[in-house]
Amino acid sequence: MREVIMAKYGEIALKGLNKNTFEDILVKNIKRRLKALGGFVYTRMQSTIYIEPQDESIDLDEATDMLATVFGIGAIQRSAVYEKDMEIIKAQCVDYLKDTLEAARTFKVEAKRSDKSFPLKTPDIQVALGDTILDAFPHLTVDVHNPEITVFCEIRDKGAYVSAGRIIGAGGIPVGSSGKALLLLSGGIDSPVAAYMMAKRGLIVDGIHFQSPPYTSERALMKVQTLCKKLTAYCGDIKLYCVPFTEIQEALRDNCPEEFFTIIMRRLMMKIANRVADSNDYGALITGESMGQVASQTLKAIQCTDAAAQYPVFRPVIGMDKKEITDIARKIDTFETSVLPYEDCCTVFTPKHPKTKPVLSEIERAENAFDFEPLIEQAIKDIVVYRYKVGAEE
Ligand code: ATP
Ligand code: MG
């Protein structure tokens, strides 16, 4: 029996003239993702990528799980491939569907006939296959509204495809189809979720992390590295720029009014991120800020931080509650790592009474009273870059 995985397009199916470009990137991303499992043959047809294993030992369940995190795919169907002959389909699909249908109580058949030369019409295919299944598995009943299992039977250009159910894909558009952005990645819950959300819109997301040893520990860095590895499932390859931030924070503590620490620190992070973006061709910055979550994320504070950025700053979780962000963090498996209790540089020298309504001109005056430029230059020189390849989370 031939078996393939059909990866059906999500939003790409709606693209016009440049659809090909999106498809090319999607196929490349899928190949990278599945590479570790073995060889596959890839064919593009009818808004679907057919993925056929070259070797019987390849675990298609594992391949399906991996595909579920690839952006650009709307649905995933593992399917048996038959000749376009109803008698052959009926005779052979029972064995293929056996394990799934024996464990179910209700089902329905959903047929689709894109090859209009096939002699049976869609409803006839559904009845023919439904009857065959009921004969073979008498414990089953048909439930057209809420079936436990939907058996799909699709008569397409190159064959008939039968699947026991389908999985919803990750959606979005393929990573790499929108350009590159640099994410300010802390060890917290929000910024990994921000990475996921912008990768979903086609951005290659790399991370920049500020660390202040000895105030922050080696374990805090390891936590951020683990987050990067986990994110590769969705984001593909990730680069992480680690910026030594200790001297800058100490200078800040020694030279600026305490109530402004946090905002100036965030502006200095932005200024360093600008430089990294300049020299590495990133077109935007990303943060995990959420409106009103803490003092540095009030409207006025965000205005002050934003003024230091020379790129568009994307804040995909800005309108989300902590609960909504946490739900996504659990789904993408970053939550457990994010809640490990290691210090972030943001919690070093935090003011007792941070200004919640900072005024930009006052902040700039306080910041300009000290020349941070040489320290920024040095920090950029001392950046350490780590690289994580897709599949690093396994
Ligand atoms: P998170 O859960 O992502 O840590 P948070 O709720 O802790 O967010 P803050 O600590 O105020 O919020 O940080 C807001 C944003 O600033 C983070 O989402 C992240 O984008 C960025 N950020 C904070 N600390 C760092 C850091 N050490 N390195 C890089 N970016 C950081
Ligand atoms: Mg944080």
Side-chain angles (χ1 to χ4, degrees):
M1 183 201 59
R2 269 181 71 203
E3 199 176 13
V4 301
I5 300 177
M6 296 198 283
K8 297 185 170 180
Y9 299 167
E11 210 174 306
I12 300 179
L14 310 173
K15 298 285 175 201
L17 290 177
N18 54 358
K19 185 170 166 181
N20 246 320
T21 317
F22 287 89
E23 288 183 290
D24 288 344
I25 299 172
L26 178 57
V27 172
K28 203 170 77 195
N29 291 350
I30 292 177
K31 283 183 179 171
R32 280 206 194 134
R33 187 81 179 100
L34 298 184
K35 196 170 155 205
L37 294 185
F40 294 86
V41 176
Y42 297 87
T43 317
R44 274 151 52 164
M45 258 183 312
Q46 299 182 287
S47 288
T48 301
I49 297 167
Y50 297 79
I51 304 163
E52 183 161 6
Q54 281 179 312
D55 173 353
E56 272 191 11
S57 65
I58 291 178
D59 183 343
L60 288 192
D61 282 336
E62 209 177 338
T64 306
D65 286 348
M66 285 183 169
L67 290 170
T69 62
V70 176
F71 291 125
I73 301 176
I76 305 160
Q77 268 170 246
R78 195 176 155 166
S79 317
V81 191
Y82 301 117
E83 257 178 69
K84 287 190 273 185
D85 176 322
M86 201 64 222
E87 291 313 310
I88 293 179
I89 299 170
K90 284 192 328 195
Q92 297 188 1
C93 78
V94 167
D95 194 44
Y96 179 64
L97 298 171
K98 192 164 170 254
D99 289 348
T100 315
L101 290 182
E102 275 181 349
R105 279 162 304 173
T106 59
F107 81 106
K108 78 168 175 181
V109 176
E110 207 173 293
K112 203 167 170 191
R113 187 183 65 135
S114 52
D115 173 4
K116 300 296 179 204
S117 70
F118 192 73
L120 272 70
K121 294 213 162 64
T122 303
D124 305 328
I125 301 170
Q126 290 175 173
V127 170
L129 205 55
D131 286 347
T132 305
I133 291 172
L134 284 171
D135 284 346
F137 307 100
H139 73 284
L140 286 176
T141 51
V142 174
D143 181 344
V144 290
H145 300 297
N146 230 338
E148 276 173 47
I149 301 292
T150 300
V151 173
F152 295 95
C153 179
E154 301 187 27
I155 313 296
R156 294 179 151 229
D157 287 356
K158 292 279 161 74
Y161 299 82
V162 174
S163 326
R166 73 163 57 126
I167 294 172
I168 296 175
I173 53 178
V175 169
S177 57
S178 302
K180 289 200 321 184
L182 187 61
L183 164 77
L184 280 79
L185 178 62
S186 68
I189 297 170
D190 309 328
S191 40
V193 171
Y196 160 83
M197 292 183 71
M198 294 322 299
K200 185 171 186 174
R201 296 314 303 164
L203 284 172
I204 291 171
V205 177
D206 287 330
I208 181 167
H209 176 68
F210 299 85
Q211 51 173 164
S212 295
Y215 305 105
T216 62
S217 67
E218 187 66 21
R219 287 195 295 183
L221 173 62
M222 282 166 60
K223 175 178 167 178
V224 174
Q225 293 175 316
T226 304
L227 288 171
C228 285
K229 287 183 197 165
K230 287 184 178 267
L231 284 170
T232 63
Y234 291 93
C235 299
D237 298 353
I238 293 180
K239 250 193 216 171
L240 175 66
Y241 301 83
C242 276
V243 187
F245 207 45
T246 315
E247 287 182 21
I248 292 177
Q249 282 199 286
E250 284 173 344
L252 183 56
R253 175 197 59 193
D254 297 341
N255 297 285
C256 299
E258 186 190 301
E259 56 180 356
F260 293 162
F261 276 5
T262 313
I263 297 295
I264 296 179
M265 181 193 69
R266 303 193 57 74
R267 286 173 51 86
L268 295 170
M269 284 183 174
M270 286 295 178
K271 288 184 173 183
I272 293 174
N274 286 335
R275 305 277 186 92
V276 174
D278 288 343
S279 46
N280 295 277
D281 208 23
Y282 294 100
L285 305 178
I286 304 170
T287 77
E289 288 161 307
S290 161
M291 182 59 66
Q293 194 186 75
V294 286
S296 63
Q297 295 171 33
T298 62
L299 185 56
K300 288 277 180 210
I302 286 178
Q303 215 178 328
C304 291
T305 311
D306 223 52
Q310 284 163 353
Y311 288 85
V313 181
F314 298 144
R315 299 179 170 88
V317 305
I318 193 77
M320 291 168 77
D321 294 349
K322 198 76 191 182
K323 164 84 169 64
E324 292 169 304
I325 301 171
T326 302
D327 286 347
I328 298 179
R330 286 187 200 280
K331 184 178 92 173
I332 64 172
D333 193 33
T334 53
F335 182 78
E336 297 297 333
T337 306
S338 291
V339 294
L340 294 172
Y342 309 131
E343 288 280 273
D344 179 55
C345 72
C346 276
T347 47
V348 176
F349 315 138
T350 37
K352 280 185 207 71
H353 303 289
K355 262 236 178 315
T356 54
K357 289 187 181 166
V359 176
L360 181 58
S361 55
E362 284 175 29
I363 296 286
E364 283 175 339
R365 204 174 314 124
E367 190 179 303
N368 291 335
F370 181 81
D371 183 12
F372 285 100
E373 197 49 38
L375 291 178
I376 290 178
E377 287 285 334
Q378 191 56 46
I380 288 170
K381 280 201 191 104
D382 292 340
I383 286 177
V384 179
V385 182
Y386 300 90
R387 288 183 168 78
Y388 304 95
K389 290 267 165 218
V390 63
E393 88 284 5
E394 262 100 46

